[in-house]
Tab-separated table of all heavy atoms in Angstrom:
chain	number	residue	atom	x	y	z
C	1257	ALA	N	-11.412	39.646	-44.553
C	1257	ALA	CA	-11.205	39.653	-43.121
C	1257	ALA	C	-12.308	38.838	-42.420
C	1257	ALA	O	-12.015	38.003	-41.573
C	1257	ALA	CB	-11.191	41.111	-42.581
C	1258	HIS	N	-13.558	39.108	-42.868
C	1258	HIS	CA	-14.679	38.432	-42.232
C	1258	HIS	C	-14.594	36.904	-42.450
C	1258	HIS	O	-14.717	36.126	-41.535
C	1258	HIS	CB	-15.980	38.883	-42.852
C	1258	HIS	CG	-17.152	38.658	-42.068
C	1258	HIS	ND1	-17.673	39.519	-41.135
C	1258	HIS	CD2	-18.038	37.567	-42.094
C	1258	HIS	CE1	-18.806	38.957	-40.615
C	1258	HIS	NE2	-19.000	37.761	-41.167
C	1259	ALA	N	-14.199	36.544	-43.636
C	1259	ALA	CA	-14.090	35.093	-43.994
C	1259	ALA	C	-12.929	34.512	-43.223
C	1259	ALA	O	-13.031	33.350	-42.697
C	1259	ALA	CB	-13.893	34.933	-45.493
C	1260	TRP	N	-11.851	35.279	-43.164
C	1260	TRP	CA	-10.662	34.697	-42.471
C	1260	TRP	C	-10.968	34.435	-41.029
C	1260	TRP	O	-10.667	33.408	-40.498
C	1260	TRP	CB	-9.415	35.660	-42.642
C	1260	TRP	CG	-8.304	35.251	-41.692
C	1260	TRP	CD1	-7.895	36.040	-40.672
C	1260	TRP	CD2	-7.587	34.072	-41.782
C	1260	TRP	NE1	-6.807	35.381	-40.014
C	1260	TRP	CE2	-6.638	34.144	-40.736
C	1260	TRP	CE3	-7.573	32.932	-42.628
C	1260	TRP	CZ2	-5.662	33.099	-40.463
C	1260	TRP	CZ3	-6.599	31.918	-42.345
C	1260	TRP	CH2	-5.734	32.038	-41.314
C	1261	ILE	N	-11.515	35.383	-40.312
C	1261	ILE	CA	-11.836	35.147	-38.922
C	1261	ILE	C	-12.806	33.983	-38.712
C	1261	ILE	O	-12.631	33.182	-37.887
C	1261	ILE	CB	-12.433	36.434	-38.262
C	1261	ILE	CG1	-11.304	37.529	-38.258
C	1261	ILE	CG2	-12.915	36.207	-36.871
C	1261	ILE	CD1	-11.838	38.896	-37.889
C	1262	GLY	N	-13.848	33.962	-39.584
C	1262	GLY	CA	-14.809	32.869	-39.462
C	1262	GLY	C	-14.163	31.538	-39.719
C	1262	GLY	O	-14.353	30.566	-38.961
C	1263	LEU	N	-13.402	31.440	-40.816
C	1263	LEU	CA	-12.778	30.170	-41.118
C	1263	LEU	C	-11.707	29.739	-40.136
C	1263	LEU	O	-11.498	28.595	-39.876
C	1263	LEU	CB	-12.276	30.192	-42.623
C	1263	LEU	CG	-13.395	30.239	-43.681
C	1263	LEU	CD1	-12.907	30.499	-45.071
C	1263	LEU	CD2	-14.228	28.871	-43.625
C	1264	TRP	N	-10.983	30.764	-39.649
C	1264	TRP	CA	-9.964	30.463	-38.665
C	1264	TRP	C	-10.666	29.895	-37.422
C	1264	TRP	O	-10.143	28.890	-36.820
C	1264	TRP	CB	-9.256	31.777	-38.236
C	1264	TRP	CG	-8.172	31.528	-37.231
C	1264	TRP	CD1	-6.946	31.086	-37.430
C	1264	TRP	CD2	-8.330	31.775	-35.833
C	1264	TRP	NE1	-6.240	31.022	-36.233
C	1264	TRP	CE2	-7.077	31.404	-35.235
C	1264	TRP	CE3	-9.346	32.296	-35.005
C	1264	TRP	CZ2	-6.894	31.551	-33.859
C	1264	TRP	CZ3	-9.137	32.323	-33.645
C	1264	TRP	CH2	-7.896	31.978	-33.093
C	1265	SER	N	-11.826	30.366	-37.052
C	1265	SER	CA	-12.592	29.820	-35.938
C	1265	SER	C	-12.957	28.411	-36.228
C	1265	SER	O	-12.839	27.516	-35.384
C	1265	SER	CB	-13.809	30.618	-35.618
C	1265	SER	OG	-13.466	31.883	-35.157
C	1266	VAL	N	-13.444	28.174	-37.444
C	1266	VAL	CA	-13.918	26.868	-37.817
C	1266	VAL	C	-12.729	25.919	-37.770
C	1266	VAL	O	-12.877	24.836	-37.175
C	1266	VAL	CB	-14.569	26.857	-39.200
C	1266	VAL	CG1	-14.846	25.427	-39.704
C	1266	VAL	CG2	-15.858	27.664	-39.222
C	1267	THR	N	-11.608	26.292	-38.308
C	1267	THR	CA	-10.484	25.367	-38.293
C	1267	THR	C	-9.972	25.059	-36.911
C	1267	THR	O	-9.587	23.965	-36.652
C	1267	THR	CB	-9.347	25.845	-39.140
C	1267	THR	OG1	-9.010	27.180	-38.723
C	1267	THR	CG2	-9.640	25.862	-40.631
C	1268	THR	N	-9.990	26.130	-36.005
C	1268	THR	CA	-9.506	25.871	-34.655
C	1268	THR	C	-10.573	25.152	-33.801
C	1268	THR	O	-10.301	24.677	-32.734
C	1268	THR	CB	-9.131	27.189	-34.014
C	1268	THR	OG1	-10.151	28.134	-34.181
C	1268	THR	CG2	-7.780	27.682	-34.515
C	1269	ASP	N	-11.817	25.062	-34.296
C	1269	ASP	CA	-12.839	24.241	-33.614
C	1269	ASP	C	-12.621	22.821	-33.952
C	1269	ASP	O	-12.586	21.955	-33.108
C	1269	ASP	CB	-14.227	24.724	-34.041
C	1269	ASP	CG	-14.797	25.772	-33.135
C	1269	ASP	OD1	-14.198	26.099	-32.047
C	1269	ASP	OD2	-15.877	26.296	-33.493
C	1270	TYR	N	-12.656	22.522	-35.298
C	1270	TYR	CA	-12.732	21.122	-35.764
C	1270	TYR	C	-11.422	20.482	-36.036
C	1270	TYR	O	-11.342	19.247	-36.070
C	1270	TYR	CB	-13.685	21.089	-36.975
C	1270	TYR	CG	-15.073	21.614	-36.664
C	1270	TYR	CD1	-15.488	22.756	-37.122
C	1270	TYR	CD2	-15.931	20.798	-35.844
C	1270	TYR	CE1	-16.767	23.279	-36.867
C	1270	TYR	CE2	-17.150	21.297	-35.565
C	1270	TYR	CZ	-17.559	22.518	-36.047
C	1270	TYR	OH	-18.832	22.980	-35.786
C	1271	LEU	N	-10.374	21.264	-36.510
C	1271	LEU	CA	-9.208	20.649	-36.890
C	1271	LEU	C	-8.114	20.801	-35.809
C	1271	LEU	O	-7.169	21.550	-35.933
C	1271	LEU	CB	-8.681	21.248	-38.218
C	1271	LEU	CG	-9.696	21.318	-39.312
C	1271	LEU	CD1	-9.137	22.000	-40.588
C	1271	LEU	CD2	-10.119	19.848	-39.702
C	1272	THR	N	-8.301	20.032	-34.741
C	1272	THR	CA	-7.436	20.180	-33.554
C	1272	THR	C	-6.779	18.838	-33.197
C	1272	THR	O	-7.216	17.797	-33.659
C	1272	THR	CB	-8.252	20.646	-32.344
C	1272	THR	OG1	-9.243	19.650	-32.020
C	1272	THR	CG2	-8.895	21.990	-32.573
C	1273	GLU	N	-5.693	18.929	-32.421
C	1273	GLU	CA	-5.068	17.729	-31.964
C	1273	GLU	C	-5.965	16.914	-31.180
C	1273	GLU	O	-5.890	15.662	-31.170
C	1273	GLU	CB	-3.830	18.069	-31.183
C	1273	GLU	CG	-2.685	18.694	-31.976
C	1273	GLU	CD	-2.794	20.224	-32.069
C	1273	GLU	OE1	-3.918	20.739	-32.289
C	1273	GLU	OE2	-1.749	20.886	-31.890
C	1274	ARG	N	-6.889	17.600	-30.385
C	1274	ARG	CA	-7.904	16.856	-29.608
C	1274	ARG	C	-8.705	15.925	-30.402
C	1274	ARG	O	-9.043	14.798	-30.047
C	1274	ARG	CB	-8.768	17.814	-28.889
C	1274	ARG	CG	-8.311	18.276	-27.488
C	1274	ARG	CD	-9.300	19.368	-26.923
C	1274	ARG	NE	-10.681	18.914	-27.036
C	1274	ARG	CZ	-11.244	18.072	-26.182
C	1274	ARG	NH1	-10.586	17.612	-25.191
C	1274	ARG	NH2	-12.517	17.769	-26.333
C	1275	LEU	N	-9.144	16.433	-31.637
C	1275	LEU	CA	-10.034	15.648	-32.415
C	1275	LEU	C	-9.322	14.766	-33.472
C	1275	LEU	O	-9.795	13.660	-33.798
C	1275	LEU	CB	-11.029	16.542	-33.170
C	1275	LEU	CG	-12.008	17.371	-32.234
C	1275	LEU	CD1	-12.858	18.344	-33.033
C	1275	LEU	CD2	-12.933	16.377	-31.513
C	1276	LEU	N	-8.179	15.233	-33.933
C	1276	LEU	CA	-7.511	14.496	-35.032
C	1276	LEU	C	-6.209	13.867	-34.630
C	1276	LEU	O	-5.523	13.236	-35.473
C	1276	LEU	CB	-7.230	15.473	-36.134
C	1276	LEU	CG	-8.419	16.206	-36.741
C	1276	LEU	CD1	-8.076	17.195	-37.856
C	1276	LEU	CD2	-9.464	15.241	-37.267
C	1277	GLY	N	-5.765	14.010	-33.401
C	1277	GLY	CA	-4.530	13.470	-32.968
C	1277	GLY	C	-3.400	14.287	-33.338
C	1277	GLY	O	-3.620	15.475	-33.722
C	1278	PRO	N	-2.192	13.768	-33.291
C	1278	PRO	CA	-0.965	14.627	-33.480
C	1278	PRO	C	-0.943	15.290	-34.830
C	1278	PRO	O	-0.318	16.352	-35.039
C	1278	PRO	CB	0.199	13.609	-33.331
C	1278	PRO	CG	-0.378	12.287	-32.862
C	1278	PRO	CD	-1.879	12.400	-33.011
C	1279	LYS	N	-1.633	14.697	-35.894
C	1279	LYS	CA	-1.624	15.287	-37.165
C	1279	LYS	C	-2.461	16.530	-37.245
C	1279	LYS	O	-2.420	17.255	-38.275
C	1279	LYS	CB	-2.113	14.293	-38.182
C	1279	LYS	CG	-1.006	13.383	-38.764
C	1279	LYS	CD	-1.570	12.514	-39.858
C	1279	LYS	CE	-2.327	11.272	-39.306
C	1279	LYS	NZ	-2.889	10.428	-40.305
C	1280	GLY	N	-3.302	16.764	-36.226
C	1280	GLY	CA	-4.203	17.939	-36.199
C	1280	GLY	C	-3.568	19.198	-36.583
C	1280	GLY	O	-4.106	19.981	-37.424
C	1281	LYS	N	-2.434	19.408	-35.984
C	1281	LYS	CA	-1.766	20.760	-36.206
C	1281	LYS	C	-1.409	21.034	-37.588
C	1281	LYS	O	-1.648	22.038	-38.212
C	1281	LYS	CB	-0.531	20.875	-35.272
C	1281	LYS	CG	0.007	22.236	-35.240
C	1281	LYS	CD	1.089	22.388	-34.113
C	1281	LYS	CE	1.479	23.860	-34.072
C	1281	LYS	NZ	2.543	24.053	-33.016
C	1282	SER	N	-0.768	19.992	-38.230
C	1282	SER	CA	-0.354	20.188	-39.646
C	1282	SER	C	-1.515	20.359	-40.575
C	1282	SER	O	-1.542	21.158	-41.523
C	1282	SER	CB	0.585	19.068	-40.136
C	1282	SER	OG	0.486	17.998	-39.322
C	1283	ILE	N	-2.592	19.507	-40.360
C	1283	ILE	CA	-3.810	19.601	-41.137
C	1283	ILE	C	-4.347	21.042	-41.048
C	1283	ILE	O	-4.722	21.626	-42.070
C	1283	ILE	CB	-4.820	18.529	-40.768
C	1283	ILE	CG1	-4.263	17.151	-40.982
C	1283	ILE	CG2	-6.166	18.750	-41.482
C	1283	ILE	CD1	-5.132	15.989	-40.521
C	1284	ARG	N	-4.468	21.507	-39.790
C	1284	ARG	CA	-5.033	22.794	-39.541
C	1284	ARG	C	-4.225	23.890	-40.303
C	1284	ARG	O	-4.777	24.792	-40.986
C	1284	ARG	CB	-5.112	23.091	-38.092
C	1284	ARG	CG	-5.799	24.435	-37.725
C	1284	ARG	CD	-6.038	24.627	-36.252
C	1284	ARG	NE	-4.777	24.839	-35.522
C	1284	ARG	CZ	-4.346	24.035	-34.571
C	1284	ARG	NH1	-4.924	22.939	-34.310
C	1284	ARG	NH2	-3.186	24.297	-33.951
C	1285	LEU	N	-2.900	23.846	-40.086
C	1285	LEU	CA	-2.090	24.845	-40.716
C	1285	LEU	C	-2.185	24.845	-42.247
C	1285	LEU	O	-2.266	25.892	-42.882
C	1285	LEU	CB	-0.620	24.630	-40.360
C	1285	LEU	CG	-0.212	25.183	-38.932
C	1285	LEU	CD1	1.234	24.856	-38.685
C	1285	LEU	CD2	-0.437	26.659	-38.889
C	1286	LEU	N	-2.225	23.603	-42.802
C	1286	LEU	CA	-2.371	23.485	-44.223
C	1286	LEU	C	-3.634	24.138	-44.752
C	1286	LEU	O	-3.664	24.942	-45.650
C	1286	LEU	CB	-2.487	22.013	-44.579
C	1286	LEU	CG	-1.909	21.598	-45.912
C	1286	LEU	CD1	-0.352	21.870	-45.989
C	1286	LEU	CD2	-2.123	20.076	-46.141
C	1287	CYS	N	-4.770	23.878	-43.982
C	1287	CYS	CA	-6.078	24.428	-44.322
C	1287	CYS	C	-6.052	25.989	-44.239
C	1287	CYS	O	-6.592	26.717	-45.059
C	1287	CYS	CB	-7.148	23.911	-43.523
C	1287	CYS	SG	-7.691	22.225	-43.962
C	1288	GLN	N	-5.351	26.424	-43.170
C	1288	GLN	CA	-5.322	27.879	-42.900
C	1288	GLN	C	-4.500	28.584	-44.003
C	1288	GLN	O	-4.801	29.653	-44.529
C	1288	GLN	CB	-4.755	28.199	-41.555
C	1288	GLN	CG	-5.753	27.909	-40.456
C	1288	GLN	CD	-5.225	27.980	-39.085
C	1288	GLN	OE1	-3.982	28.046	-38.872
C	1288	GLN	NE2	-6.095	28.053	-38.078
C	1289	ILE	N	-3.425	27.916	-44.420
C	1289	ILE	CA	-2.561	28.496	-45.471
C	1289	ILE	C	-3.358	28.535	-46.778
C	1289	ILE	O	-3.386	29.538	-47.514
C	1289	ILE	CB	-1.245	27.691	-45.684
C	1289	ILE	CG1	-0.331	27.841	-44.412
C	1289	ILE	CG2	-0.541	28.095	-46.921
C	1289	ILE	CD1	0.795	26.932	-44.388
C	1290	GLY	N	-4.037	27.437	-47.049
C	1290	GLY	CA	-4.908	27.341	-48.224
C	1290	GLY	C	-5.963	28.492	-48.235
C	1290	GLY	O	-6.089	29.230	-49.214
C	1291	THR	N	-6.661	28.631	-47.072
C	1291	THR	CA	-7.712	29.646	-46.971
C	1291	THR	C	-7.133	31.012	-47.149
C	1291	THR	O	-7.635	31.826	-47.943
C	1291	THR	CB	-8.311	29.583	-45.605
C	1291	THR	OG1	-8.675	28.207	-45.321
C	1291	THR	CG2	-9.549	30.474	-45.470
Side-chain angles (χ1 to χ4, degrees):
Chain C
H1258 198 91
W1260 168 246
I1261 293 169
L1263 290 170
W1264 180 80
S1265 292
V1266 170
T1267 53
T1268 49
D1269 269 352
Y1270 300 106
L1271 307 178
T1272 61
E1273 290 90 317
R1274 270 176 50 80
L1275 294 174
L1276 304 176
K1279 271 187 279 180
K1281 191 170 185 180
S1282 20
I1283 295 174
R1284 184 173 71 243
L1285 279 178
L1286 211 64
C1287 284
Q1288 288 174 343
I1289 290 167
T1291 309

